[in-house]
């Protein structure tokens, strides 16, 4: 089954076109390999992507060919994602002042460390 169809069918994206665009951007991975919209997904696969607030990690439990109701869709995957950050935690990361430009490499590393995404 196609990954874009599955993401849409289990209600992890709002529409199939949004799911396809997410895959085209290179952010969706199936078993740690970058997925195209047409990539095949099977039961037992691990699907990961970056949500605006957190990293999403889901395990495929069931393949659904069509979009179904939310209670049924929730049974089609196991969500191993970390908990949503609280409002206080989101504010602690801080916002850059308007007009300050892009962060420098050092600032980017500090931001990643604060968000718990450092690799080193």
């Amino acid at each position: 089954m196609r990954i874009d169809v599955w993401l849409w069918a289990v209600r992890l994206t709002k529409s199939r076109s949004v799911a396809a665009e997410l895959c085209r951007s290179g952010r969706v991975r199936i078993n740690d390999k970058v997925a195209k919209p047409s990539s095949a997904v099977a039961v037992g696969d691990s699907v990961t992507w970056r949500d605006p607030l957190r990293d999403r990690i889901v395990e495929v439990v069931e393949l659904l060919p069509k979009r179904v109701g939310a209670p049924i869709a929730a049974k089609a995957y196991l969500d191993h994602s970390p908990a949503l950050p609280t409002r206080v935690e989101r504010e602690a990361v801080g916002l850059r002042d308007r007009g300050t430009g892009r962060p420098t490499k050092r600032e980017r590393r500090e931001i990643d460390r604060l968000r718990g995404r450092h690799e080193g």
Side-chain angles (χ1 to χ4, degrees), residues 30 42 57 80 82 106 113:
I30 301 173
I57 305 162
H80 300 294
R106 172 184 271 171
R113 269 191 223 103

Side-chain angles (χ1 to χ4, degrees), residues 82-101:
L84 276 170
T86 63
R87 178 170 288 205
V88 174
E89 290 172 336
R90 282 183 270 157
E91 291 172 356
V93 171
L95 298 174
R96 295 179 55 81
D97 293 329
R98 188 175 179 96
T100 57

Side-chain angles (χ1 to χ4, degrees), residues 2-16:
R2 291 173 58 112
I3 184 65
D4 61 342
V5 174
W6 185 80
L7 287 171
W8 167 74
V10 297
R11 298 179 172 265
L12 291 171
T13 59
K14 191 170 184 172
S15 68
R16 183 172 170 192

